[in-house]
């Protein structure tokens, strides 16, 4: 070996040691993007990363607007066992012809974006440029439904789940399973066949409950809706079965068998999910698709409200529980965002925020993120529509214009996914609580408002001159500023 080889090797070692040291010294912000299925997590993360990496129209993201973000780039994700967020694939789908939304997330995945920036103060600038790692996890929203199970016993969960299945808007989907339950005795001897049949009927009920509209809040457990790599696993062979009398299940009974499986599901599925991805967040954005719930009527909105309340309660558990033992109480900023605000004219955004506040207030009262700064806003991570006014007689109606997804309906019209349409989505009520007060009989589709789903906007990811054009959004820059701005000073 020649001396020059040796010095080369030493230089290499030093360089990589330097890189590791720099990496260790770089602060990390763990950003939780929390939301039920179809709430907009994957689109939000894609748009967030794109905004950081390519810049763009972000006047309220101060570090970017001041030109202090030198560059941002994706790095290998910190956990080797978890696949990386498919950023490039999601972007490619958006840029395809016709443009497509990313697919619903099937597995957990993760990304790390590193931001290099210039400090504001001359003193800190003298030390060198600033660096921040932002770590984000994306997962199927269905799995969020599992978090409330953590602090529930099998008996309590069973009673709740059965009451839920008896709600008028679930009755049709739940009938076969409830019929089976009505002839079952929790005190009968343990029977594997009964467990299998019951779990099968229960799974079919859960899937049927959300078939009419996958954007609505479904009852859980989450892996029954989206098993990931647990498909067919014995961990999923249970279902709710309230105790015959009292609140306990005798040994050797069917009830005891199901209770044991429920506990295994919590221990092997839910606890690791919470511990690895939620317990140590620094900041959190909670995405809520309030419009889909409004669209579907009072039952859907109160389902959403109850579910968010139960999910967020996990972040402020009672004393001396498993959750309180592992939760690092350090979330210092929390944002509630109503997603897909581009389904409405901007004149209705205040009312959308009021509805979100109604949902968030209840969740906050229970969760009380002590000391955290909280913000509520309506946003569209990727704006699919533009605004216009239409005349109806002497009235001027604030409309939105976009390409409705194929199969979307408005009255007798069915859209083909190609033609643009101007639609007046209706007026959100002035008093958001009125949406919850509608009698249960009114559950079903709302009369006053109707939202269509649109194709994503046509975007090009690179101009011939090599520029990366900005993606259209509504208030995404304000959200980024709230979530990251103070860490880039
Ligand atoms: N118009 C509009 N639609 C949006 C926006 N964000 C999300 N959507 C719609 O909502 C759907 C769901 O968005 P996703 O980002 O996939 O939702 P998710 O929370 O990742 O859903 P899961 O992966 O199923 O948990 C998309 O396919 C779009 O139809 C937005 O900013 N504007
Ligand atoms: Mg997703």
């Amino acid at each position: 070996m020649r001396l020059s080889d040796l010095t080369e090797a030493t230089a290499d070692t030093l360089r990589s040691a330097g890189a590791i040291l720099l990496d260790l010294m770089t602060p990390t912000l763990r950003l939780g993007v929390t939301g039920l299925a179809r709430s907009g997590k994957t689109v939000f993360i894609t748009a967030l990363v794109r905004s950081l990496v390519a810049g763009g129209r972000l006047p309220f993201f101060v570090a970017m607007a001041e030109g202090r973000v030198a560059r941002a780039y994706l790095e290998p994700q910190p956990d080797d066992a978890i696949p990386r967020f498919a950023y490039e694939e999601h972007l490619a789908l958006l840029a395809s012809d016709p443009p497509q939304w990313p697919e619903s997330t099937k597995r957990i995945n993760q990304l790390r974006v590193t931001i290099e920036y210039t400090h504001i103060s001359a003193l800190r600038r003298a030390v060198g440029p600033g660096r921040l790692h932002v770590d984000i996890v994306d997962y199927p929203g269905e799995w969020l439904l599992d978090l409330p199970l953590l602090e529930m016993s099998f008996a309590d969960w069973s009673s709740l789940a059965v009451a839920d299945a008896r709600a008028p808007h679930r009755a049709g989907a739940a009938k076969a399973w409830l019929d089976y339950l009505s002839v079952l005795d929790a005190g009968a001897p343990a029977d594997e066949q009964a467990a299998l049949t019951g779990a099968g009927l229960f799974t079919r009920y859960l899937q049927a409950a959300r078939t009419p509209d996958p954007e609505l809040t479904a009852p859980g457990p989450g892996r029954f809706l989206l098993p990931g790599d647990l498909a067919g696993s014995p961990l999923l062979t249970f279902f709710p079965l309230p105790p015959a009398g009292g609140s306990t299940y005798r040994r050797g009974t069917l009830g005891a068998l199901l209770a044991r499986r429920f506990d295994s599901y919590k221990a092997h599925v839910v606890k690791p999910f919470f511990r690895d991805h939620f317990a140590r967040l620094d900041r959190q954005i909670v995405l809520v698709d309030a419009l889909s719930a409004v669209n579907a009527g009072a039952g859907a909105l109160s389902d959403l409200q109850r579910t968010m309340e139960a999910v967020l309660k996990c972040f402020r558990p009672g004393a001396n529980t498993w959750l309180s033992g592992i939760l690092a109480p350090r979330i210092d900023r929390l944002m509630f965002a109503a997603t897909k605000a581009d389904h409405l004219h901007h004149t209705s955004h205040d009312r959308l925020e009021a509805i979100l506040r109604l949902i968030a207030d209840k969740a906050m009262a229970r969760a009380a993120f002590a000391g955290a700064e909280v913000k509520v806003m309506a946003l569209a991570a990727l704006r699919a529509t533009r605004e216009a006014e239409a005349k109806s007689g002497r009235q001027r109606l604030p409309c939105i214009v976009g390409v409705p997804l194929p199969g979307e309906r408005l009255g007798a019209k069915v859209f083909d996914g190609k033609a643009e349409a101007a639609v007046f989505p209706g007026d959100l009520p002035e008093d958001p609580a009125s949406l919850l007060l509608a009698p249960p009989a009114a559950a079903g589709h709302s009369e006053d408002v109707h939202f269509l789903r649109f194709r994503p906007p046509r975007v090009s990811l690179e101009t011939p001159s090599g520029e990366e054009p900005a993606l259209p959004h509504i208030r995404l820059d304000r959200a980024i500023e709230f979530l990251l701005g103070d860490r880039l000073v």
Side-chain angles (χ1 to χ4, degrees):
M1 187 182 268
R2 281 173 299 143
L3 185 65
S4 61
D5 287 345
L6 204 62
T7 44
E8 192 88 340
T10 318
D12 270 356
T13 314
L14 281 177
R15 254 197 302 276
S16 57
I20 291 170
L21 196 64
L22 183 63
D23 210 53
L24 284 176
M25 282 166 34
T26 302
T28 301
L29 187 143
R30 295 172 63 99
L31 177 64
V33 179
T34 304
L36 298 172
R38 321 306 288 146
S39 57
K41 298 180 292 299
T42 304
V43 171
F44 175 82
I45 299 169
T46 306
L48 170 82
V49 174
R50 169 76 183 187
S51 302
L52 293 173
V53 171
R57 253 174 284 138
L58 304 161
F60 288 95
F61 176 28
V62 176
M64 185 76 85
E66 290 178 351
R68 289 190 296 106
V69 175
R71 66 177 185 134
Y73 49 93
L74 284 173
E75 287 214 69
Q77 72 281 19
D79 295 313
D80 288 339
I82 299 177
R84 163 134 102 69
F85 181 74
Y87 173 65
E88 294 79 3
E89 279 168 40
H90 299 325
L91 271 188
L93 273 178
L94 289 172
S96 61
D97 187 20
Q100 317 267 346
W101 294 105
E103 278 182 23
S104 192
T105 310
K106 303 281 184 305
R107 276 166 210 285
I108 199 147
N109 57 82
Q110 190 184 47
L111 76 111
R112 162 169 286 180
V113 53
T114 300
I115 307 171
E116 288 180 4
Y117 63 96
T118 312
H119 291 294
I120 295 179
S121 91
L123 207 61
R124 296 185 73 188
R125 265 204 310 273
V127 182
R131 271 165 62 94
L132 177 71
H133 292 317
V134 182
D135 288 353
I136 305 178
V137 167
D138 192 22
Y139 53 87
E142 285 84 352
W143 296 359
L144 206 60
L145 297 170
D146 285 343
L147 300 192
L149 303 185
L150 284 171
E151 295 215 293
M152 264 190 242
S153 69
F154 180 63
D156 290 346
W157 173 65
S158 294
S159 310
L160 268 177
V162 169
D164 205 21
R166 292 205 173 114
H169 61 294
R170 301 250 155 88
K175 185 170 183 320
W177 176 62
L178 286 175
D179 284 351
Y180 181 70
L181 216 58
S182 68
V183 295
L184 219 52
D185 176 8
D191 171 1
E192 185 59 35
Q193 201 49 49
L196 279 168
T197 310
L201 288 167
F202 179 59
T203 309
R204 253 165 275 149
Y205 145 57
L206 296 182
Q207 278 160 357
R210 71 174 206 152
T211 307
D213 190 346
E215 296 190 337
L216 295 186
T217 319
R223 306 279 174 148
F224 283 65
L225 292 162
L226 213 130
D229 39 21
L230 286 186
S233 157
L235 277 171
L236 304 186
T237 320
F238 67 93
F239 58 91
L241 184 62
S247 63
T248 51
Y249 302 87
R250 270 184 302 109
R251 276 181 67 178
T253 60
L254 177 62
L257 170 79
L258 300 179
R260 203 173 62 237
R261 299 246 165 97
F262 174 79
D263 288 337
S264 301
Y265 181 78
K266 289 204 307 190
H268 297 296
V269 179
V270 194
K271 283 185 178 179
F273 181 55
F274 189 85
R275 186 191 57 219
D276 298 344
H277 307 299
F278 293 94
R280 297 181 344 267
L281 296 176
D282 299 298
R283 302 246 156 119
Q284 178 149 226
I285 177 164
V286 180
L287 302 178
V288 183
D289 180 3
L291 288 178
S292 292
V294 170
N295 211 15
L301 199 65
S302 52
D303 275 350
L304 177 62
Q305 190 185 37
R306 266 189 314 123
T307 308
M308 290 316 294
E309 190 183 341
V311 165
L312 293 172
K313 191 171 163 255
C314 295
F315 292 91
R316 183 61 195 263
N320 303 325
T321 58
W322 178 82
L323 276 170
S324 66
I326 64 154
L327 199 64
R330 63 177 189 190
I331 292 183
D332 63 344
R333 288 194 174 188
L334 172 68
M335 168 168 280
F336 280 93
T339 50
K340 315 179 192 178
D342 56 328
H343 284 153
L344 288 173
H345 194 269
H346 74 271
T347 46
S348 297
H349 287 174
D350 286 353
R351 290 188 180 184
L352 176 58
E353 282 175 9
I355 295 171
L356 176 64
R357 219 165 262 131
L358 188 77
I359 297 168
D361 267 356
K362 263 207 138 173
M364 292 299 304
R366 295 287 293 272
F369 288 80
E373 195 181 330
V374 182
K375 217 181 186 99
V376 172
M377 76 169 52
L379 60 77
L382 188 59
R383 180 177 191 164
T385 67
R386 58 180 203 279
E387 298 188 340
E389 273 194 346
K391 272 196 199 149
S392 163
R394 303 173 100 205
Q395 247 190 330
R396 285 180 171 277
L397 294 178
C399 287
I400 49 169
V401 183
V403 180
L405 285 175
E408 287 292 289
R409 290 164 180 274
L410 189 62
K413 178 154 179 65
V414 182
F415 292 96
D416 63 1
K418 293 184 187 132
E420 222 181 38
V423 287
F424 172 62
D427 282 320
L428 291 175
E430 205 168 328
D431 173 16
S434 66
L435 288 167
L436 287 170
L437 291 177
H445 274 271
S446 157
E447 301 280 306
D448 303 330
V449 285
H450 186 76
F451 304 105
L452 295 175
R453 276 170 297 191
F454 293 93
R455 268 204 194 286
R458 271 187 190 281
V459 292
S460 58
L461 298 180
E462 212 179 284
T463 60
S465 61
E467 269 174 48
E468 296 179 274
L471 302 183
H473 65 85
I474 299 173
R475 281 188 280 276
L476 179 64
D477 52 344
R478 290 175 203 255
I480 301 177
E481 176 61 23
F482 179 75
L483 295 168
L484 308 180
D486 64 323
R487 301 291 298 267
L488 302 172
V489 292

